[in-house]
Amino acid sequence: MVIDVSKQYFPEIAVGFDDPRVRVNVGDGVAFLRESPESVYDVVFVDFSDPIRPAEELFKKLFFELVGRASNKDDKKFRFSSNPVILGAIAGSVLMRKAASLAFVQHKRSTVTTNIIEVLGNSMEDICPVQ
């Protein structure tokens, strides 16, 4: 488990696990927060991967609503940190796949680069509507 490896090989940064105020949950974060009572946590830290399976649910509106419900703070702040290079590559790949898909729907082909570029000229809301 990542926590055990961190404690063994990075003890200088793997601190706080023994603090009685800390509760570590390893598992389905959405399920955990669904079952958590309201307004009980001062801070919620989530260590998850990039927005592809299985962590995809942690990037949806419902997850952030559940974190907000579990927080006992009126001033709720959310921060996401990831490798920007990897995240940018994933976003670019997703955008190109979506554009190719839309070009195919519009032109019954998506192998022509100009069709894909035409779709990319649309607004982000047209290509990837907020759900």
Side-chain angles (χ1 to χ4, degrees):
M1 186 180 300
V2 173
I3 294 171
D4 298 325
V5 171
S6 296
K7 288 177 180 179
Q8 181 177 355
Y9 295 102
F10 306 105
E12 64 281 356
I13 60 172
V15 297
F17 290 106
D18 297 326
D19 188 312
R21 298 170 295 176
V22 173
R23 178 177 179 184
V24 177
N25 176 63
V26 178
D28 185 334
V30 175
F32 175 80
L33 288 171
R34 275 194 177 118
E35 297 171 11
S36 294
E38 291 186 30
S39 303
V40 293
Y41 297 110
D42 294 328
V43 178
V44 176
F45 290 101
V46 182
D47 182 17
F48 48 83
S49 61
D50 292 312
I52 52 178
R53 289 278 180 207
E56 185 177 351
E57 295 301 312
L58 303 178
F59 289 83
K60 294 185 177 176
K61 182 179 177 185
L62 172 64
F63 177 73
F64 290 97
E65 288 171 347
L66 290 170
V67 170
R69 185 181 68 88
S71 171
N72 64 12
K73 302 292 183 191
D74 289 332
D75 182 23
K76 296 170 180 32
K77 293 182 172 76
F78 298 95
R79 179 179 171 94
F80 171 73
S81 178
S82 181
N83 182 326
V85 174
I86 292 172
L87 198 56
I90 290 171
S93 174
V94 168
L95 183 61
M96 287 301 292
R97 288 178 188 193
K98 183 68 173 185
S101 171
L102 290 173
F104 181 79
V105 168
Q106 292 172 3
H107 302 285
K108 301 300 180 221
R109 66 181 188 277
S110 62
T111 55
V112 179
T113 306
T114 53
N115 296 139
I116 296 171
I117 292 171
E118 175 187 315
V119 171
L120 286 172
N122 295 337
S123 73
M124 285 299 293
E125 180 62 24
D126 291 336
I127 296 172
C128 299
V130 175
Q131 296 180 359

